[in-house]
Amino acid sequence: MSVARALAGRIAELARALDGRAVRLMEVCGSHTMAIARHGIRDMLPGNVRLLSGPGCPVCVTEPGYVDAALALARRGVGIATFGDMLRVPGSDGSLASARAEGAVVRAVYSPARALELAAAEPDRPWVMLAVGFETTAAPLAALALEIRRRGVGNLALLCAPKRVPPALDALVADPELAVDGFLCPAHVSAIIGARAYEPYARDHGRPCVVASFEPLDVLHGLAGLLEQIVAGEARVDNRYARVVRPEGNPAARRVMAEVFEAADARWRGLGTLPRSGLRLRESFADLDAERVHGVAVQPGREPPGCRCGEVLAGRTEPEDCPLFDRTCTPAHPVGPCMVSSEGSCAAAWKYRGSQGRKS
Amino acid sequence: MCLAVPMTLVAVDADGGGTVELDGVRRSVRLDLLDEPRVGDVVIVHAGYAIERLDPEEARARRELFARLAAAYEAGVGGPVALAAPPPEER
Ligand code: SF4
């Protein structure tokens, strides 16, 4: 633990060097949000250093209309393969978990590769893999598309809504209300896209960026790195996860993604429609596009009434400021996706910050 | 969905699959996202796919940095603890 104490001491010392100035640091990735909550990292920070969660939970930023399209497929007998986190996300009318309770074929998978086995086991049933996530997940999904092609699988398509992190950061830095002094950049998204991807936010927008892993000591080390830059009046990209993240990212993964996907405008819960922020299948993969194959379209859906997930995701509201937090909305009975997903800010706040964190 | 723990590649199959091992537990993994995967590579696995290799030199540098921090703390240095990367010759 002495490493943690040494890092906490360093952070305290840097915070004092800020001379009373309060700073807000945003963790962009859901894995950081979880690590920060689980290890009580907020409590280790001096009062003038605040942490803010960004739009880094892939399930949370997925709009309700996407869930509606998946439900429409499930209700007409299409087998749905999905990451488990999507199961309880509310659409406008029910969730995949409720559809499954009503008899729909919905299978939680850890890996997209598992969808190949599901489709092979039931060759007469059409299957759809729910393709959501950031670049870290989009790369495996692209590899799945290539593998469907290679094996000539005829009954497996993708309902595509993967998202790209940099356009979300573009939207955040363009928001004049968002006072963020630095970004703790994602670990494994960066493994794919590379540390260089954050240069515009440092160079053009003056925001220090530190890439860090999400082990607790790495998070502390990353936060210390952000404070070092702020104290020194600098803004650059500091890669503190160089053991995995290369400046240019993973070339093989980027190649696979570029072969399968192209950038497209996409709607985000909380941030609205952001240019080129999503990924869609290229025309040459149209036969794997569930929207075309099954004639469904992802339309804007209805947000759960009263849920402030959108504002939480945009860094404008803390979970505890939502009037439903811990009242009608709990992990056992989630109202919005930020309480459903284990990476969601509301779930993390509920589970780990405990009653002190809950305003009454 | 992310796992931070690196795993060692112990088998590479002809069809783009492979096997990783951590503490004696083996799992199958897809290797479509790595150029020239080799047995012995230490990899990061996400959603059943190896998404990147661990650079052993950088991993060692980070271990050493944290060990120095701990030593400085335990020695009760009191003054500022340097977090900056060590000079190249020390690595
Ligand atoms: S506490 Fe529940 S209702 Fe409120 S923002 Fe979070 S998920 Fe939505």
Side-chain angles (χ1 to χ4, degrees):
Chain A
M1 276 320 281
S2 36
V3 183
R5 294 216 183 88
L7 287 166
R10 174 67 175 153
I11 287 171
E13 182 191 327
L14 287 161
R16 278 195 298 278
L18 289 168
D19 264 336
R21 177 180 160 205
V23 293
R24 287 152 52 101
L25 309 178
M26 178 178 271
E27 89 266 1
V28 178
C29 166
S31 299
H32 280 141
T33 303
M34 277 172 77
I36 286 163
R38 182 183 303 142
H39 301 285
I41 287 175
R42 275 167 193 256
D43 298 338
M44 297 172 67
L45 299 179
N48 61 334
V49 178
R50 272 190 55 201
L51 288 183
L52 209 66
S53 298
C57 159
V59 164
C60 304
V61 299
T62 300
E63 52 173 343
Y66 179 86
V67 178
D68 296 342
L71 282 170
L73 291 170
R75 285 176 180 146
R76 60 167 100 145
V78 173
I80 302 289
T82 176
F83 297 115
D85 268 11
M86 284 295 290
L87 285 176
R88 295 198 306 144
V89 173
S92 307
D93 166 30
S95 66
L96 288 162
S98 58
R100 184 169 64 179
E102 292 157 15
V105 177
V106 178
R107 299 275 179 275
V109 298
Y110 160 69
S111 171
R114 171 86 180 115
L116 293 164
E117 297 164 24
L118 292 169
E122 285 187 68
D124 296 332
R125 183 189 296 282
W127 281 86
V128 166
M129 174 76 208
L130 301 190
V132 297
F134 295 115
E135 288 91 339
T136 334
T137 313
L141 289 164
L144 170 66
L146 292 180
E147 196 61 16
I148 293 173
R149 225 351 113 62
R150 199 179 66 82
R151 296 190 193 181
V153 179
N155 63 329
L156 177 56
L158 279 71
L159 186 63
C160 279
K163 297 206 164 34
R164 303 171 58 224
V165 167
L169 294 179
D170 291 335
L172 288 171
V173 293
D175 177 356
E177 277 178 43
L178 180 92
V180 167
D181 299 287
F183 290 112
L184 189 66
C185 300
H188 290 160
V189 164
S190 306
I192 306 287
I193 68 176
R196 250 183 237 145
Y198 307 105
E199 268 166 16
Y201 313 109
R203 193 185 53 223
D204 305 336
H205 296 280
R207 301 306 208 287
C209 292
V210 174
V211 180
S213 178
F214 44 85
E215 289 171 62
L217 295 178
D218 288 287
V219 173
L220 288 172
H221 190 213
L223 294 173
L226 284 173
L227 291 172
E228 281 166 16
Q229 289 193 45
I230 293 170
V231 167
E234 294 172 359
R236 59 192 157 77
V237 178
D238 179 4
N239 180 6
R240 296 195 164 191
Y241 194 28
R243 62 190 188 276
V244 169
V245 174
R246 298 185 245 179
E248 71 280 15
N250 175 346
R254 295 180 64 156
R255 235 177 17 243
V256 168
M257 281 170 73
E259 187 175 345
V260 173
F261 291 128
E262 61 191 2
D265 298 353
R267 284 187 298 267
W268 294 54
R269 197 189 291 262
L271 301 179
T273 299
L274 305 180
R276 297 176 58 78
S277 65
L279 294 168
R280 68 168 173 230
L281 289 166
R282 288 189 181 278
E283 197 54 40
S284 49
F285 286 87
D287 57 320
L288 301 186
D289 182 345
E291 290 190 61
R292 298 215 207 174
V293 173
H294 296 293
V296 294
V298 175
Q299 308 280 359
R302 196 167 49 87
E303 305 283 345
C307 173
R308 300 181 67 184
C309 264
E311 289 161 63
V312 170
L313 291 164
R316 272 183 245 126
T317 293
E318 304 239 16
E320 290 90 337
D321 295 326
C322 170
L324 306 189
F325 181 80
D326 197 31
R327 295 207 172 81
T328 41
C329 185
T330 63
H333 298 282
V335 173
C338 301
M339 189 62 91
V340 174
S341 169
S342 56
E343 292 181 31
S345 303
C346 297
W350 192 93
K351 189 161 173 203
Y352 297 110
R353 276 188 237 161
S355 51
Q356 303 92 358
R358 296 175 209 165
K359 291 181 184 157
S360 48
Chain B
M1 286 194 286
C2 282
L3 291 176
V5 199
M7 304 199 225
T8 306
L9 196 53
V10 293
V12 176
D13 309 337
D15 71 344
T19 307
V20 285
E21 185 181 280
L22 177 71
D23 293 337
V25 179
R26 292 187 169 209
R27 275 207 216 179
S28 58
V29 67
R30 292 291 312 175
L31 301 171
D32 317 57
L33 303 175
L34 288 185
D35 281 324
E36 297 170 34
R38 278 176 290 264
V39 167
D41 283 351
V42 179
V43 296
I44 299 287
V45 177
H46 173 80
Y49 286 73
I51 55 160
E52 192 45 293
R53 290 183 180 79
L54 183 86
D55 179 325
E57 275 309 300
E58 291 285 353
R60 195 170 57 83
R62 178 249 193 191
R63 271 197 307 276
E64 287 173 5
L65 167 66
F66 281 6
R68 275 200 312 282
L69 283 174
Y73 179 83
E74 277 156 19
V77 168
V81 179
L83 277 188
E89 62 272 18
E90 260 186 73
R91 290 197 178 187

